[in-house]
Amino acid sequence: MNIEQFIDMLSAKGISLSPQQLQQYETYYSTLVEWNEKMNLTAITDKPEVYLKHYYDSISAAFYFDFNEPLHICDVGAGAGFPSLPIKIAFPELHVTIVDSLNKRIGFLEHLSNQLGLKNVQFIHDRAETFGQKKEHREVYDVVTARAVARLSVLSELCLPLVKVGGTFVAMKGASAKEELDAGKKAIAVLGGKLDQSFSFTLPQEESERNILIIKKEKATPKKYPRKPGTPNKTPIE
Ligand SMILES: C[S@@+](CC[C@H](N)C(=O)[O-])C[C@H]1O[C@@H](n2cnc3c(N)ncnc32)[C@H](O)[C@@H]1O
């Protein structure tokens, strides 16, 4: 996907980008590729592929969920910033907290955020299992996002405790979404969530299936979740 196609396809979805926002995506790309030489951030480095499989794919969540409000989102296991940073560039009013268990990636995100001049972003080095037990992060986020982090049953245990009651967990999944949903139904219910809607689509210019699951937080998550890493006999809630 070249930049003109990126602009046109987003515009067709009602998302228009200013020259400054387009410059931010360009700076994101050059910083990502530069730091990727020193550390493992992404296997995708070809520019049109980054625009399609990282930026456009990340922003596709906004085709199904309205980010056009000053919501506070938490992105669990964002790695090199996906999906939350492409979304933040497109919707600058958002407040974004990223939690990732790999400190090197947090270092990259801090540098990137300075390069991009992002405001209202926070990067935290922690495991979601411990982060979600901290009072200041538990059940406070309007929206929690996650892409390519874990199976839905496990991911729900990491993400739903962070969502405030009435808020939303947006899980970005591949072709295994239906099977993961079947296996994850119990976990979602135990953790206080309920599947509201799911959307299946393919990215432009390629065939692989994408699924966006919109899971509403209906009631508080029991205090024992998320269980700590190393909890004896810990198996997914399935
Ligand atoms: C495969 S990468 C995906 C990164 C990004 N979400 C994307 O779509 O490109 C998974 C990321 O999740 C982080 N991660 C895995 N388990 C985690 C946990 N329990 N708590 C916090 N971060 C975690 C890893 O450090 C890694 O950066």
Side-chain angles (χ1 to χ4, degrees), residues 73-86:
I73 74 176
C74 178
D75 193 5
V76 172
F82 307 118
S84 54
L85 293 191

Side-chain angles (χ1 to χ4, degrees), residues 6-219:
F6 178 69
I7 295 169
D8 289 348
M9 303 223 58
L10 289 182
S11 168
K13 297 282 187 185
I15 299 170
S16 58
L17 299 170
S18 67
Q20 193 210 343
Q21 288 167 308
L22 289 168
Q23 184 54 53
Q24 286 177 307
Y25 288 114
E26 285 289 274
T27 304
Y28 195 158
Y29 175 72
S30 53
T31 311
L32 178 69
V33 170
E34 184 195 332
W35 278 58
N36 205 43
E37 308 258 309
K38 304 182 271 188
M39 65 175 72
N40 178 19
L41 289 167
T42 176
I44 300 170
T45 53
D46 173 61
K47 194 166 175 175
E49 271 203 277
V50 169
Y51 270 76
L52 177 65
K53 294 183 182 168
H54 282 325
Y55 297 168
Y56 186 87
D57 186 46
S58 293
I59 298 168
S60 67
F63 307 158
Y64 306 104
F65 182 85
D66 185 9
F67 286 98
N68 212 358
E69 285 183 58
L71 301 167
H72 196 161
I73 74 176
C74 178
D75 193 5
V76 172
F82 307 118
S84 54
L85 293 191
I87 296 174
K88 164 73 180 168
I89 293 171
F91 301 96
E93 299 287 295
L94 292 172
H95 288 234
V96 174
T97 296
I98 283 179
V99 56
D100 199 285
S101 55
L102 214 60
N103 204 22
K104 276 201 228 166
R105 294 192 175 144
I106 294 295
F108 162 73
L109 293 172
E110 279 165 350
H111 173 79
L112 173 70
S113 162
N114 287 333
Q115 296 295 107
L116 301 181
L118 296 181
K119 298 204 168 51
N120 299 321
V121 287
Q122 194 186 14
F123 305 107
I124 299 177
H125 173 224
D126 202 350
R127 290 194 66 88
E129 292 89 333
T130 41
F131 184 76
Q133 285 293 359
K134 291 177 181 157
K135 200 168 163 252
E136 64 272 30
H137 296 293
R138 192 176 174 86
E139 305 198 311
V140 297
Y141 295 98
D142 299 304
V143 187
V144 174
T145 55
R147 187 187 84 156
V149 178
R151 269 176 70 73
L152 188 62
S153 53
V154 175
L155 193 63
S156 296
E157 183 173 343
L158 301 180
C159 293
L160 275 169
L162 302 167
V163 182
K164 67 174 173 198
V165 174
T168 310
F169 168 33
V170 179
M172 305 185 73
K173 287 279 158 195
S176 61
K178 282 184 189 64
E179 180 271 310
E180 288 190 41
L181 251 180
D182 281 342
K185 257 188 202 129
K186 182 174 169 200
I188 293 169
V190 165
L191 296 157
K194 188 173 182 216
L195 178 70
D196 184 42
Q197 283 180 292
S198 69
F199 302 96
S200 198
F201 61 100
T202 52
L203 289 182
Q205 305 170 357
E206 60 131 64
E207 296 301 311
S208 57
E209 184 183 329
R210 300 286 200 275
N211 287 279
I212 298 208
L213 311 178
I214 307 288
I215 295 165
K216 289 277 171 203
K217 177 86 169 257
E218 293 198 316
K219 51 183 196 282

